[in-house]
Amino acid sequence: MPDRQTSLSGALSELPRFPLFAGLTQNILAELCREGQVKVSQHRDLLFEAGNSGTHFGVVLSGAYKLARISPSGEDSVIHFCSPGDVLAALVMPQPKPVYPVSAIAMGPSRALMIRREVYLEKWVPMPELVIRIQGLLSSRMARFQNQKVMQRAPLPSKVAALLLNLVSRDSRVDELEVPVPLTRKEIADTLGVTVESVIRVMSDWSKQGYVTTNEKQIKILRPDILVEQVNLAAD
Amino acid sequence: MPDRQTSLSGALSELPRFPLFAGLTQNILAELCREGQVKVSQHRDLLFEAGNSGTHFGVVLSGAYKLARISPSGEDSVIHFCSPGDVLAALVMPQPKPVYPVSAIAMGPSRALMIRREVYLEKWVPMPELVIRIQGLLSSRMARFQNQKVMQRAPLPSKVAALLLNLVSRDSRVDELEVPVPLTRKEIADTLGVTVESVIRVMSDWSKQGYVTTNEKQIKILRPDILVEQVNLAAD
DNA sequence: CGCTCGGTTGATGCACATCAAAGGCTGTGG
DNA sequence: CCACAGCCTTTGATGTGCATCAACCGAGCG
């Protein structure tokens, strides 16, 4: 009997949950995922590495992965956080000799469905609806990028607040403002391009004020109103 | 007789120049550009504005446009420089109620072919090859984004050097290292999220050293080797 | 001829980096 | 079971790169 965690059939049954695959029949899904493999990752496991040849396309099934690169000076720089339903390496697949532009690193126990590039090109690309949905995911990723870029000149507390609010707004469950990803202060720092210490000074201040709490790396926003105010505080 | 500058037929004859349209027949091109309009912009003209409803998709024909947003505190923040052959607003077209995420502003006299959203959805999207090529453009845009993000912690001179080298590397004419876009110091500053004064201090130093020259807003890199060194200087 | 725009220079100050030290927590191996 | 290493967090002391503010110049332009 196949393990539900690692078997392809198990993954197939999970896919319809994600908007990306809404309305697709199991037959079509089976086609799309031909020869697909479920990769199980532990905390800090590398799913693929920046610079390696891009042989597979990926869909995050559970947990979370961060996309990161090492800067010339050695610190790493986090580009994006992928949660379930997000795609990996979609943009580079069509290139003649694709290379992963970033490394994908698991944040806690996670699983990803990996599809061979050839299958992606044969089965996924010819379905405009699917390609468009993937573009939709990339579009929102791009939007988050831009939001951060606009905050570049803002003081650090504004940037941290904007990042946290951005992350929770992804799955918009308004009642429970919990960051959907286990985030360390270092990862926040690496995302914003600042030092851990600076992030800690901001966050521990907020903790003392009771605006946020963090246990087991889950960050919860208790006073979203104050964080929003913090973001706009930079405004004239 | 239609003006070659502003007529659709004039634009149609220019398109095959761009890799995006390589190998497409004039018939197909005519289909793709049905009801298309050529917009002629002068320096600092607004092609479309962030927040407005996204009615049109665009292709830059000549000149250059910058994609920018106003930050909450009022300065603007440049997201991307579009040169001829680049696409505008492609990612948001498929959304049910698209809104331009950024403003497009002409840098010097420029022209863009604007296609109605409906035509894009009907004619462009069903052609996987075309969609994939557009993704290719977005992919390189994303790559440039990431390159900049990795430089976030680097000292300012490294960032400026990286930006200039990034811009020239786009059209890789190695013999002539000229930035393909008329750039002011302010625009460099807005791209990097720093102040004009700081950029000026860096650039005018380089000018004195003879590493770069700038006349008529065209920046030329005389000593690429030294700029490359400057980028890597941040490394440990 | 006054206007705006782009570029430049200098003086001053602050937000954040850097460096240093320490404690908790988890896993791992002797 | 304890020692040790690695990761995450925290706090404080000190320094500096860049922002800020202010002033000025030249060029193009209505």
Side-chain angles (χ1 to χ4, degrees), chain B residues 57-229:
Chain B
F57 160 78
V59 178
V60 179
L61 294 174
S62 63
Y65 292 85
K66 59 178 172 184
L67 304 183
R69 274 175 55 182
I70 308 288
S71 84
S73 41
E75 325 107 12
D76 45 59
S77 159
V78 174
I79 307 294
H80 185 74
F81 297 105
C82 296
S83 39
D86 219 343
V87 292
L88 300 167
L91 274 185
V92 296
M93 284 296 106
Q95 295 173 8
K97 281 176 65 86
V99 164
Y100 297 119
V102 294
S103 301
I105 301 155
M107 310 167 70
S110 307
R111 289 158 53 246
L113 173 60
M114 301 303 287
I115 311 277
R116 288 206 307 126
R117 170 168 177 263
E118 290 75 15
V119 175
Y120 180 77
L121 295 180
E122 275 172 39
K123 304 294 181 184
W124 297 58
V125 168
M127 296 181 63
E129 176 60 21
L130 202 52
V131 174
I132 288 305
R133 288 190 196 172
I134 291 177
Q135 278 198 10
L137 290 176
L138 298 174
S139 169
S140 72
R141 194 181 294 191
M142 206 87 171
R144 197 161 309 122
F145 253 61
Q146 295 177 3
N147 287 337
Q148 254 184 253
K149 186 139 205 180
V150 170
M151 299 297 297
Q152 256 179 156
R153 302 269 313 258
L156 183 52
S158 304
K159 292 202 258 186
V160 177
L163 175 62
L164 293 181
L165 292 172
N166 241 323
L167 286 174
V168 297
S169 74
R170 181 146 29 169
D171 42 10
S172 50
R173 319 226 354 268
V174 187
D175 50 331
E176 184 69 350
L177 285 169
E178 191 162 314
V179 178
V181 169
L183 266 193
T184 68
R185 323 271 143 149
K186 175 118 181 48
E187 282 160 343
I188 295 175
D190 288 343
T191 306
L192 298 177
V194 297
T195 58
V196 211
E197 295 95 322
S198 300
V199 172
I200 285 176
R201 281 182 237 268
V202 171
M203 297 274 301
S204 63
D205 187 31
W206 287 347
S207 284
K208 277 172 204 150
Q209 308 285 333
Y211 304 160
V212 300
T213 52
T214 124
N215 46 358
E216 301 297 325
K217 289 182 190 164
Q218 284 293 336
I219 299 173
K220 202 177 292 186
I221 302 178
L222 304 176
R223 296 293 305 275
D225 52 330
I226 295 201
L227 291 213
V228 169
E229 183 188 312

Side-chain angles (χ1 to χ4, degrees), chain A residues 138-203:
Chain A
L138 297 174
S139 169
S140 73
R141 193 181 293 191
M142 207 87 169
R144 196 162 309 123
F145 253 60
Q146 295 178 2
N147 287 337
Q148 253 184 255
K149 186 139 205 180
V150 169
M151 299 296 297
Q152 255 180 156
R153 302 267 315 257
L156 184 51
S158 305
K159 291 203 256 185
V160 177
L163 175 62
L164 293 181
L165 292 172
N166 242 324
L167 286 173
V168 297
S169 75
R170 179 146 30 169
D171 42 11
S172 52
R173 319 227 353 267
V174 187
D175 51 330
E176 185 70 351
L177 285 170
E178 193 162 315
V179 179
V181 170
L183 266 194
T184 68
R185 323 271 144 150
K186 176 123 180 44
E187 282 160 342
I188 295 175
D190 288 342
T191 306
L192 298 177
V194 298
T195 58
V196 211
E197 294 94 323
S198 300
V199 172
I200 284 176
R201 282 182 237 268
V202 170
M203 297 275 300

Side-chain angles (χ1 to χ4, degrees), chain A residues 2-230:
Chain A
D3 181 353
R4 280 196 54 80
Q5 287 299 298
T6 64
S7 75
L8 181 54
S9 58
L12 277 174
S13 68
E14 296 177 62
L15 293 184
R17 230 187 284 154
F18 305 125
L20 181 56
F21 302 102
L24 299 182
T25 66
Q26 278 292 319
N27 274 345
I28 296 184
L29 287 179
E31 271 287 291
L32 292 176
C33 302
R34 186 158 56 86
E35 303 173 55
Q37 288 183 9
V38 177
K39 289 275 183 191
V40 176
S41 313
Q42 299 309 314
H43 186 43
R44 263 175 292 153
D45 279 356
L46 200 58
L47 184 62
F48 54 74
E49 188 164 10
N52 287 0
S53 107
T55 57
H56 288 76
F57 161 78
V59 177
V60 178
L61 295 174
S62 63
Y65 292 85
K66 60 178 171 184
L67 305 183
R69 274 174 56 182
I70 308 288
S71 83
S73 42
E75 326 107 14
D76 47 55
S77 159
V78 174
I79 306 293
H80 184 74
F81 298 105
C82 296
S83 39
D86 219 343
V87 292
L88 301 167
L91 274 186
V92 295
M93 284 296 105
Q95 295 173 6
K97 284 177 62 88
V99 164
Y100 296 119
V102 295
S103 300
I105 301 155
M107 310 167 70
S110 307
R111 290 158 52 246
L113 174 60
M114 302 303 286
I115 312 276
R116 289 205 307 124
R117 169 168 178 263
E118 290 75 15
V119 175
Y120 181 77
L121 295 181
E122 277 173 39
K123 304 293 180 183
W124 297 58
V125 168
M127 296 181 64
E129 176 60 22
L130 203 52
V131 174
I132 289 303
R133 287 190 197 171
I134 290 176
Q135 278 198 9
L137 290 175
L138 297 174
S139 169
S140 73
R141 193 181 293 191
M142 207 87 169
R144 196 162 309 123
F145 253 60
Q146 295 178 2
N147 287 337
Q148 253 184 255
K149 186 139 205 180
V150 169
M151 299 296 297
Q152 255 180 156
R153 302 267 315 257
L156 184 51
S158 305
K159 291 203 256 185
V160 177
L163 175 62
L164 293 181
L165 292 172
N166 242 324
L167 286 173
V168 297
S169 75
R170 179 146 30 169
D171 42 11
S172 52
R173 319 227 353 267
V174 187
D175 51 330
E176 185 70 351
L177 285 170
E178 193 162 315
V179 179
V181 170
L183 266 194
T184 68
R185 323 271 144 150
K186 176 123 180 44
E187 282 160 342
I188 295 175
D190 288 342
T191 306
L192 298 177
V194 298
T195 58
V196 211
E197 294 94 323
S198 300
V199 172
I200 284 176
R201 282 182 237 268
V202 170
M203 297 275 300
S204 64
D205 187 31
W206 287 348
S207 284
K208 277 173 204 148
Q209 308 284 333
Y211 303 160
V212 301
T213 52
T214 125
N215 44 359
E216 301 296 326
K217 289 183 191 164
Q218 283 294 335
I219 299 173
K220 201 178 294 187
I221 302 179
L222 304 176
R223 297 293 306 274
D225 52 330
I226 295 201
L227 291 214
V228 170
E229 183 188 313
Q230 185 63 250

